[in-house]
Amino acid sequence: MADLIVNGGKPLAGTISPSGNKNSVLPIFCATLLTDEPVHLVNVPDITDLDKLVTYLRSRGSSIDWNRAAGTMRLDHSGFSAGGADDELPADMRSSVLLYPGLLHRFRQIVIRSNTKGCSLGVREIDPHLEVLRALGADVSIGESIVVATPHGFAGGRHWLDYMSVTVTENFAMAAALAAGPSILMNAASEPHVQDLCSALVAMGAKIEGIGTSRLHVTGVDRLHGATIAINTDYHEVVTFLALGAITGGEVRVTDGLPHHFDLIVRAFAKLGVVIEHEGTTALVRAGQRLQIENPLTPNLLPKIEAAPWPYFSVDLLPLMIALSVRAEGTIHFWNKVYENGFSWMPELAKFGAHAVVSDPHRIIVFGNRPLRPAVVDSPYIIRAAVALTMVAAAIPGRSVVRNAEIIKRAHPRFVENLRSLGAELEWK
């Protein structure tokens, strides 16, 4: 693992163009397995998770031409071999579960030998994936390994999720797209990246209604065709660089955003005294804003930012708001309603001098604007926690080290280069 060396205390300023959305490109990439016709992807981010998937599919006969500099990719799976159907999927990457529909469509059977995982946020269940595949006609046999079979292909069905799972919703959409008959998913996730996948499937010939809502209705088609699909920009990355500008007192602009996704995000920033503006598709934070936690109008209540499945505030963005609150005047309550290990990195934040009290696995209270000092901290295997620790380090004059921060590369292909372009002093070691 690589460490980040940060010489902080410098206001960041400049303009950034965000990369393509990691959470969109991975399911869209996996969805291309549903057709033998060529698919062209545009605005493809150069991230490690995608690299693993490319290596996996190439080893099994897929033709993938990836121009990393241009951010384009051409995929042709007509030569994909059934010989790898029983092999292990890419390890240490939760998104490999998104290969299930494509592999089942091609080979009618997969064997699951390991519980793939993405990061340290908490237990990632495989059960909901198996339940939704069963609802769409799959046979599931459980022994030393889990064998999932669709001898007659997918069949239309109805399923109601226990909770709004992004990857389960995405697997439903992919499987139902080629199922015989109509399918309905209730309590579906509706995050922007789920919408992006559904739109990509529609571009390939799928029939999907209810995109962006909690009820998806999919009418299966006989086949999907090739298409050219542009990956939307990553709103997580837009927020990351705005937050870095705010915590360092600088002025940062981020181009090519999607302002219609930002209403609640802008309000979360405002609770910490940060005004986010939009000029067309460019989001900006002005220099010299005073970080001041906004008190609610209801007396005797702490200010609060709650994170839960979309359209709530995104749990992936919560660590960035926590980092900002450390520099803000006042006290605020954060509530992560999804992951039981979402606050496991609070002891590392405390090494900077931050004061955060863990109320329970899902809630913390931050007492802001305590004296901060440079520190050597250990990043957990959580992308945004590593980014948040880097944010705090960038705001403190002096040399800090964020150890084991390489997980940032899973979502931000040019993180260090972008920060340097804004005037930051940091490097990988």
Side-chain angles (χ1 to χ4, degrees), residues 12 23-24 61 82 87 122 156-157 167 186 237 346 349 382 401 424:
L12 304 186
N23 291 324
S24 296
D87 292 349
T167 51
M186 301 297 295
E237 191 163 82
M346 291 301 102
L349 195 61
I382 302 171
V401 180

Side-chain angles (χ1 to χ4, degrees), residues 24-42:
S24 296
V25 73
L26 295 176
I28 291 172
F29 177 91
C30 293
T32 64
L33 267 179
L34 299 170
T35 180
D36 275 339
E37 294 186 15
V39 177
H40 298 260
L41 302 182
V42 181

Side-chain angles (χ1 to χ4, degrees), residues 2-13 16 240-241 244 248 386-396 398-403 405-406 408-409 412 414-429:
D3 300 340
L4 263 181
I5 313 301
V6 184
N7 292 301
K10 302 169 181 63
L12 304 186
I16 292 291
T240 295
F241 289 107
L244 277 157
T248 61
V387 172
L389 292 170
T390 304
M391 280 177 56
V392 176
I396 302 171
R399 183 181 185 272
S400 294
V401 180
V402 182
R403 296 193 295 207
E406 194 173 25
I408 291 174
K409 296 179 181 179
H412 300 283
R414 292 180 49 82
F415 185 72
V416 166
E417 294 85 348
N418 279 328
L419 283 184
R420 284 177 177 165
S421 75
L422 297 175
E425 292 185 17
L426 75 168
E427 61 180 345
W428 292 110
K429 183 177 179 181

